[in-house]
Amino acid sequence: QNWTRGMSYCLHSESHLDTGPIYVRENGKLHVVNQGAGSIQNVTPKTRPFRLFSRGFSVELCMNREDDRARRQRTDHFIFTYTKEGNLRYSAKSLFSLVLGYISDNVDHIDSLIGFPEQIAEKLFSAAEARQKFTEPVTGLRALQKFTEAYGNLVLCSLCLRNRYLVISEKLEEIKSFRELTCLDLSCCKLGDEHELLEHLTKEALSSVKRLLLKDNSLSDAGLRRMTAPVRVLKKGLENLLVLDLSCNPKITDVGIGYLLSFKKLNCLDISGTGLKDVDAVIRRIQMQIGLVHSKVPLKEFDHSNCKTEGWAEQTVLQWEQAVMEAIKPQGDLRSRTAALRFYGKTHRIEEVVKCKLVDAETKASGNLQFYKEKIRNFHLPLKKEVAGSHELKNNKKRALAEQERERTSKQKHLCLTVEDWDLLNTY
């Protein structure tokens, strides 16, 4: 009894501890000690369920905990929806979606996509684009190059950068990575003759360009000479050009127009607002050597309605522009810093648009200098006239051969390159 009283006293003194039930074996029987009353009860002990974790233990599902940044950007592996009754329901994403998300998070580590199915590659590009992977400075360029090397014009077949000279400055390397473009609009960007992008136009990667708009870019005869040098001598570069817009470039003169005569496939040409001295002579020269006729009405090929950004990377270009505009927003209130404003393009952009309108007004006053190629009509003559006109056909062939010979000799004279031309060609 004294032992039990001591045990009860000990239990009461340490009642703050949750020791659980205490069992005592006495006379061959197992007894449980009642902590509240301090007595011993002959109660057969009940087996307690095995508890793996203590009370209050909680589990949190974490993915890639060592990379918190990637974990924040990655979406959950479950899709949560609400039923009509208002109950929350979740379903696991497909394995394809999970793998696609993982690869898009690490798209810059891809070695090559050549030979990869384009249907899945388009979904992969869209997933990476949604995560804005192509807007990152270094990794974005590396990831974009993997897609452009493998899929070419599927990534982007037409690129419109009209009035977007800030995007050109910030994303020049990304723009140069696009391959097999068929349409490129660089109007009103004030690039000048020495810009790196104009030099890139002569590379083999852009030999597929058929529509090139360079309106209001401060170009001169020197810029046209550099741009046409590969075509004039090496038959490379912009040899497949069909539509060319060089309007609103007052520094282009009659000499610069002579460089354009190497574009034999041209169907439409706009040289309105240039600094031509003898307009009639230029019109005759263009008609004789490349077969373009002066148009009396404005052509729809130069109204910029058909040129827009098309391809997988359409939203990527918009993301670039939004990022650039957000970067220059704080500079809008600093009116005193005219140099910075001009560099970031706030005030300078408004002045350029007004100047372009003035040049357009001068162009309308001086006349429209747009050219197009007439379609050759095939007249089906009667059989009787075919025999009678055989001599005329022979005479026409002789005249055509004579004209080709004169053109060849004039071309040889035109290809007399200067030292500057040879230095320029040595860079290719």
Side-chain angles (χ1 to χ4, degrees), residues 286-303:
I286 292 176
Q287 185 172 1
M288 290 295 296
Q289 297 196 21
I290 55 178
L292 298 183
V293 182
H294 181 217
S295 177
K296 297 181 180 180
V297 296
L299 300 176
K300 64 179 181 179
E301 285 79 5
F302 301 107
D303 59 0

Side-chain angles (χ1 to χ4, degrees), residues 183-198:
C183 180
L184 182 59
D185 189 354
L186 300 174
S187 301
C188 304
C189 289
K190 299 291 185 180
L191 299 180
D193 296 330
E194 303 295 332
H195 200 275
E196 187 176 352
L197 184 57
L198 291 179

